Amino acid sequence: FLIRNQIMITKIIYIKKVGRFSNFCGKSDELSFKKNTFIFGKNTQGKSTFTAILRSMASGNADFVIGRKSFDTTADQNVVIETDDEQIIFDGKIWNKELNIKIFDSRYISENIYSDDYLDKNKQNKIATIILGKKGKTLEKEYEEAKQKLDENKKAKTDITNQYNRTFYKNILDFQSFRKKEENPNIDDDIAKINANLQAVKNQQSIKNLLERLSVDINRFDEINIDKLCDTLEVKQKEIKDHILENLKTEKGALRFLATGLNFLKEKISGKRRSCVFCGQVLETQAENLINAYSTLFSKAYETLISEVRNSLLIIRQWNIEQEILEIKAELQKLGIDLALGNLIKNISRNKNGVISELEQKQENLNYVIKFDFLVELKNIVIKFNDETTSPLLEKYSAPINIDVVNRFKKDKEYFEIIKQRHKKPWKTLCNEYKKLEDDLKDNLKPLEEKAFKHKKEYAEKVFTDYEESINTIIEKLGANYRLMDFSMPQHRRDDLKLFSLKFLDSDTVISLEGEEKQYNFINTLSHSDKRLLSFAFFVVDIQNTENLENTIVVLDDPMSSFDVDRKITTIKVLRDNLVNSSKQTIKQLIVLTHEEKFFIFLNEHFPNDKTFLRIIFSNSENTSKIVPCDIEEEFLKETHLKELEKFKLYLDGKINCVKLEEVRKRLEHIIGIKYHLEIPSEVKNSGGIVYWYKKEIATDDIKTKINDLFPSLSHHDQIARVKEEDLEDGDKKDIIKNLLNIIKEI
């Protein structure tokens, strides 16, 4: 919308299809608006509709008009309002211009002050906005914008957190901990270990069987008799073998033959040499040695020792412990158990081969002394492996399955699975985004919001100090028996707003705005009239705080419906005298709509200048509400003047005890106005200078003198009387009344 310097409404040209204004045309100059325009209309005639049109034009919100479209019509709505500069038009959809209008009516009260008799936190915020004025709104806007950015920042972080919570279990790892996790290059290994543990628990019996098998196999080296292997025999095995190979056909048959023959060998007799059983020759030394070797070879000790060596070799060679361990390791690994072998297999193989080598040497030479270091070391290696690895695992997997352990493994797995996602998309991107949001909050948004709140608070504290005095001045003028106190804004951003308290003058009781029904509070201590008075006072001070007030139109729709006569008169005086800002600017135009005749008459009495009176009526013949001219003298004041003149007569006759002397001038003006109605210029009628015009233009010197003598002791409109009425004696008052009635007769 294009907003220009404020202009005044001069005429309502058209209102079509808006509420009861089905088809109104008001081009006549008699319907022109003036600076002070007062419109009378009974209920249901169209006052509220007219106010809604002005509110729509002020806000640019077409809904206020569209929502009041006349019933039973499909025609387009149309409103044309003339100003002293241009026409403002509503084409059924939008306004082409806006006007700066402030409206006081029931809607203003319910939206800004209280509703359903409650002045809640929301309404207190609205009142605070009114109090703080344009600059306050600017500061509030800056604060709200800063706060909104905080909220947007918070929402963005919350969205990321919620996305995390929807994806993962936050009770396993919350998002704040998740996003701080460093990248772990071994994460897959950690997960694999946990999976292995879980697999192991599930396959506990199979693992137990494998471990038992491994333990039994390891202990097989106990079958080797170390003590027997320590025996030695002096057997010339090489000589015997060479002899057999040289002289006999086969080694096996030769050994049986030799063993049989040795049983018949004669013992050596008294120094004589033995003879060979096979040829009878006396045995020589060399043959003797050979026979002795044969004897040793076929002895029981030989057979025992050679058998032990042979058996031990067989045990060690068949004891494929390395392969067994590796196979069991592989099977355990499938079941979730990873045996850490290190150099075990290498050390077992090295020592096992050493044992085999020693036994082979013993087999070749029974007189060889075996070095058992390899066997001892092999045994120690196996025992250590059994004690440190096999036995603990066997003990672990022989116990009943612990469900808590299983659950812990599962939880650990989920934990690492979550961590694994931290540095992958999309979580790497989201965590980086969250970090930026936090940095922006700390470095920019939070300081900006704190600064905006500080500026708003400091300004509010200053304004509230002045405002408390202003609002109480208006309240006092309107005759309220309470005052507002303790105006304050929250000292901290999260504090609740406690705008002000009410202090009752007759008891010095202070009450809060809110509270339970059983406690004193706004709802149960103020009458409806007092609440409306308070709302009107806020509206007036709102006007007083308005910059460029000279460009503002003020509209009031039935502002004082619940006020008594004194408050209505005081209210009118406030409208006349107090709609002024600190720069001494007054409003551009005042428009008052009312359904109360007395209030309408009071407006006429207290607004002497630049005024016009109109009526809103509903025409049954035309089926539309209309704005028509209003002759307030003829329609509202004629009967009043007659009644006041009758009171004067009754007073002179002693039938009533008092009259108001302020009515004297009003009655004189009315009589002059009636007689010279067609001659008095309109500007004189509007200015309240009828008596002055009469004395200057019409009155004889005699009447002029009598009029001048009549007024020195009386008030002129709202001017202070030189002599107070209560200071006059009853006889003086009656003389004034008699003189008035004589002047009226002469006129």
Side-chain angles (χ1 to χ4, degrees), residues 286-408:
Q286 185 176 2
E288 182 74 18
N289 290 339
L290 181 61
I291 292 299
N292 289 336
Y294 282 139
S295 296
T296 302
L297 176 65
F298 296 115
S299 69
K300 187 175 181 179
Y302 173 85
E303 290 179 357
T304 300
L305 181 58
I306 197 66
S307 175
E308 190 65 36
V309 172
R310 188 181 301 110
N311 289 337
S312 295
L313 266 173
L314 182 63
I315 290 170
I316 293 298
R317 283 171 175 163
Q318 289 181 345
W319 188 36
N320 195 2
I321 184 64
E322 306 99 316
Q323 183 64 30
E324 182 74 7
I325 291 174
L326 290 174
E327 288 178 358
I328 293 176
K329 171 183 169 63
E331 291 184 42
L332 287 173
Q333 197 164 20
K334 293 177 183 178
L335 298 175
I337 298 295
D338 187 14
L339 291 178
L341 299 180
N343 293 322
L344 176 68
I345 301 301
K346 181 179 179 182
N347 292 335
I348 287 176
S349 295
R350 177 173 57 79
N351 287 284
K352 179 182 172 183
N353 291 333
V355 172
I356 291 173
S357 176
E358 290 293 308
L359 289 173
E360 286 177 342
Q361 292 187 62
K362 183 74 172 180
Q363 191 178 40
E364 290 293 327
N365 181 8
L366 294 182
N367 199 38
Y368 178 74
V369 178
I370 296 176
K371 300 182 184 66
F372 289 101
D373 294 349
F374 291 109
L375 185 62
V376 171
E377 179 65 18
L378 177 62
K379 183 176 181 180
N380 288 338
I381 290 171
V382 171
I383 290 173
K384 182 178 180 181
F385 175 71
N386 189 50
D387 290 344
E388 295 182 359
T389 303
T390 307
S391 294
L393 287 172
L394 189 57
E395 182 179 355
K396 177 180 178 181
Y397 289 98
S398 295
I401 295 175
N402 189 331
I403 191 64
D404 292 334
V405 172
V406 174
N407 290 336
R408 191 187 72 242

Side-chain angles (χ1 to χ4, degrees), residues 79-222:
V79 179
V80 179
I81 296 177
E82 184 178 271
T83 69
D84 51 14
D85 184 62
E86 59 188 331
Q87 286 188 344
I88 299 179
I89 301 171
F90 177 73
D91 63 3
K93 295 180 180 179
I94 62 171
W95 291 90
N96 66 332
K97 297 286 190 304
E98 291 180 13
L99 279 186
N100 186 15
I101 303 176
K102 287 184 175 290
I103 300 174
F104 180 79
D105 60 356
S106 296
R107 188 185 191 100
Y108 173 88
I109 294 172
S110 64
E111 288 184 348
N112 298 289
I113 311 300
Y114 67 87
S115 55
D116 297 328
D117 284 336
Y118 286 93
L119 204 163
D120 57 19
K121 289 288 186 295
N122 183 48
K123 293 301 187 295
Q124 291 184 57
N125 280 313
K126 289 285 186 71
I127 293 172
T129 301
I130 292 172
I131 293 173
L132 297 176
K134 184 176 180 180
K135 182 176 179 181
K137 288 180 182 178
T138 300
L139 293 175
E140 179 68 22
K141 182 180 179 182
E142 290 175 357
Y143 171 67
E144 288 298 328
E145 288 176 349
K147 187 170 176 293
Q148 183 180 357
K149 290 179 180 178
L150 277 184
D151 293 340
E152 290 172 354
N153 179 280
K154 179 181 179 181
K155 183 180 183 302
K157 291 190 294 184
T158 300
D159 288 344
I160 294 174
T161 303
N162 290 340
Q163 185 175 347
Y164 173 85
N165 293 338
R166 288 192 299 269
T167 307
F168 305 114
Y169 293 109
K170 65 178 180 180
N171 59 328
I172 294 177
L173 183 66
D174 64 87
F175 178 68
Q176 294 301 326
S177 301
F178 169 79
R179 69 187 190 83
K180 295 175 183 176
K181 291 296 181 182
E182 299 291 337
E183 189 168 9
N184 180 5
N186 300 318
I187 190 71
D188 288 332
D189 293 338
D190 293 334
I191 294 173
K193 289 178 182 177
I194 294 172
N195 282 330
N197 287 331
L198 275 172
Q199 190 70 15
V201 172
K202 292 178 182 178
N203 298 283
Q204 185 165 325
Q205 186 59 47
S206 298
I207 294 170
K208 178 184 175 184
N209 295 339
L210 286 169
L211 291 172
E212 288 175 343
R213 196 179 90 196
L214 179 63
S215 178
V216 170
D217 287 344
I218 288 174
N219 290 316
R220 285 184 61 190
F221 66 83
D222 289 340

